[in-house]
Amino acid sequence: MAKKKQNSQEKQVLTEWQKRNLEFLRKKESEDSEGIDKENTSIENKVPEKKKVKKKKKAKKKKKNKLKSTSNIPIAQQNLAGLIVFSAAILIVFSLFYISPWSKQKIITVSGTKNALPEDVKVASGILDTDYISYVFLNQNKVARTIEKTNVWVKKATVTYDFPNQFNIAVKEYPIVAYRQTTNGYVSILESGKTGGTVSTSNLPDKFITLKMDDEKKIEDLVKELNKLDSKIKNNIQIINLTPTKATSDLLTIELYDGNSIRVPLSQLTVKLPYYEKIKSQLSDGSIVDMEVGLYTTTPEVESSKTDGDKKKDKDKTDKKEENKTSEEDQDTTTSTEQHSEGESNSENPGIQGQENPTVGQETTLRPSPAQG
């Protein structure tokens, strides 16, 4: 009881300021205790965050170190190194292939031949068993040109390659223009003018041109001229015989399948021979068209009935015509053009000149144009 009284007395003794001071101290104590609790909790929360940050920093450092280690070699140098390794590997493979016998084993085929022998084409190519596949591959055009120059039958050659070691030679041959008659049989004459080879009678075509001449230079010139003619004219030619005269060393006698024959110089074959198509309808069967100097027609009967004196006169006429031909060539171009047009109209219409088809013992002279000589 005494203590209670004392406390109550003390309470009563405290002034208003003291009471306020006590409340302030109590609040401060409570605030301080709360602040300590907050700091403890914040410290606890901050510790693992710092650890996480440190771990992240360590991981980033490791990645940076890895990137630094790889970035020490530039990408260009890495690609170059890979290319060098790849090239070296290929070089090794090719070296081993060249050392092996496979590098020279080739399969060569020939296509497109009709008259030429495939083995002859292979020999003409110049390809040897000891040649490397790479050599033939790099010289395909050279091989083709060699075949064209070496084999008379081959007009065009093409070499193609198929992996791994196959080569094909495709050839285009010269067509046969005529056959030269010899003591050993018929020899083919190609479009190039060269001789192809002997042909057996059983292999000859139904219709062909037979050459009765041995001069190879004249044969080549004749073939060149025949190639310029229309196929209609060429198909009508049966035999071409070289029958030179004193005035014309290259005179040809051409026997046709229609029964007529033509005499024409080789040098003027393409100029004069086409005129035959314009006058053949006016001719009788078995007529002879002489185009040596001018243009006139006759028959075998007329020529056989001539005496030696007549034949001599004909030769003199031919010589005179040859002289006239030389003088006519010196005329001016205008006169030559006018005569040419007049000659063509007369050759197409021989009836205008009052001429008829020749009979036995007669000759028909057709007025030639300057182009015909």
Side-chain angles (χ1 to χ4, degrees):
M1 292 295 288
K3 287 181 179 181
K4 289 182 178 180
K5 288 181 179 179
Q6 287 179 357
N7 290 332
S8 62
Q9 289 177 359
E10 288 177 358
K11 288 179 180 179
Q12 291 177 358
V13 172
L14 292 174
T15 61
E16 292 293 330
W17 180 86
Q18 289 176 341
K19 290 179 180 179
R20 291 177 182 174
N21 189 23
L22 287 172
E23 288 179 0
F24 174 76
L25 291 174
R26 288 174 182 169
K27 287 181 179 179
K28 191 175 181 180
E29 288 178 358
S30 61
E31 287 177 358
D32 290 339
S33 61
E34 289 177 358
I36 291 168
D37 294 336
K38 287 181 180 180
E39 286 179 358
N40 291 332
T41 54
S42 63
I43 289 169
E44 289 177 357
N45 294 329
K46 286 180 180 179
V47 170
E49 287 180 359
K50 287 181 179 179
K51 288 182 180 180
K52 289 179 181 179
V53 171
K54 287 181 180 179
K55 287 181 181 180
K56 288 181 180 179
K57 286 182 178 179
K58 287 181 181 180
K60 287 181 180 180
K61 285 181 180 180
K62 287 181 181 179
K63 287 182 180 180
K64 286 180 180 180
N65 292 331
K66 288 181 180 179
L67 291 173
K68 285 181 180 180
S69 61
T70 55
S71 62
N72 289 335
I73 303 174
I75 296 174
Q77 291 183 2
Q78 293 178 15
N79 295 336
L80 180 61
L83 181 61
I84 292 171
V85 172
F86 179 74
S87 301
I90 291 179
L91 184 62
I92 291 170
V93 171
F94 270 96
S95 299
L96 293 174
F97 176 75
Y98 269 94
I99 295 171
S100 68
W102 289 94
S103 61
K104 298 179 181 179
Q105 292 185 0
K106 304 173 289 295
I107 299 174
I108 301 174
T109 57
V110 180
S111 61
T113 57
K114 184 179 179 182
N115 296 296
L117 298 176
E119 290 301 323
D120 291 342
V121 175
K122 290 180 183 180
V123 173
S125 68
I127 300 174
L128 304 175
D129 294 336
T130 55
D131 290 336
Y132 288 100
I133 295 174
S134 59
Y135 172 80
V136 181
F137 176 78
L138 296 173
N139 293 276
Q140 294 180 60
N141 291 332
K142 183 180 178 181
V143 171
R145 302 293 84 78
T146 302
I147 296 170
E148 293 172 3
K149 292 178 181 179
T150 308
N151 194 294
V152 294
W153 286 100
V154 179
K155 182 178 182 179
K156 178 72 175 177
T158 306
V159 181
T160 56
Y161 169 74
D162 291 326
F163 186 83
N165 63 342
Q166 293 184 355
F167 293 92
N168 181 65
I169 303 173
V171 300
K172 181 181 179 182
E173 295 182 350
Y174 283 107
I176 298 174
V177 176
Y179 295 87
R180 182 163 64 92
Q181 190 174 7
T182 65
T183 54
N184 297 325
Y186 289 90
V187 178
S188 58
I189 304 298
L190 310 181
E191 188 182 53
S192 60
K194 302 294 183 181
T195 301
T198 305
V199 181
S200 62
T201 308
S202 59
N203 292 331
L204 291 172
D206 295 334
K207 291 180 67 175
F208 60 92
I209 300 175
T210 301
L211 303 182
K212 292 184 178 181
M213 50 198 305
D214 298 325
D215 192 328
E216 293 184 358
K217 179 63 172 64
K218 282 186 169 57
I219 290 175
E220 289 186 12
D221 294 339
L222 174 60
V223 170
K224 290 179 182 178
E225 295 298 311
L226 289 175
N227 291 333
K228 299 176 185 177
L229 292 175
D230 185 77
S231 59
K232 186 178 181 180
I233 300 173
K234 284 194 295 184
N235 293 335
N236 193 26
I237 298 174
Q238 184 177 14
I239 300 173
I240 300 177
N241 194 0
L242 181 64
T243 55
T245 62
K246 185 178 179 180
T248 310
S249 59
D250 63 344
L251 184 65
L252 302 175
T253 299
I254 302 174
E255 297 179 20
L256 306 175
Y257 277 102
D258 61 13
N260 299 327
S261 60
I262 302 172
R263 294 176 187 149
V264 60
L266 171 58
S267 57
Q268 299 177 5
L269 185 68
T270 55
V271 177
K272 293 186 173 182
L273 198 58
Y275 282 96
Y276 175 77
E277 292 296 320
K278 297 180 180 180
I279 64 173
K280 69 177 183 178
S281 60
Q282 307 293 329
L283 303 176
S284 59
D285 294 339
S287 297
I288 299 173
V289 181
D290 196 319
M291 300 180 179
E292 182 179 1
V293 177
L295 177 61
Y296 71 92
T297 62
T298 184
T299 62
E301 290 82 3
V302 172
E303 292 205 337
S304 63
S305 64
K306 287 181 179 179
T307 62
D308 293 337
D310 294 333
K311 292 179 180 179
K312 187 176 180 181
K313 288 180 181 179
D314 290 340
K315 287 184 179 180
D316 293 338
K317 288 180 181 179
T318 302
D319 293 339
K320 288 181 181 179
K321 288 178 180 178
E322 187 70 25
E323 292 175 1
N324 293 333
K325 174 188 174 183
T326 305
S327 62
E328 285 177 1
E329 288 176 352
D330 296 333
Q331 293 178 357
D332 56 38
T333 307
T334 306
T335 306
S336 176
T337 305
E338 292 175 355
Q339 290 178 349
H340 178 69
S341 61
E342 180 183 353
E344 283 188 351
S345 62
N346 291 337
S347 63
E348 291 178 1
N349 301 289
I352 295 175
Q353 301 179 29
Q355 297 166 352
E356 297 179 357
N357 291 337
T359 59
V360 178
Q362 294 180 344
E363 289 184 358
T364 300
T365 302
L366 301 178
R367 182 179 178 182
S369 66
Q372 297 169 325

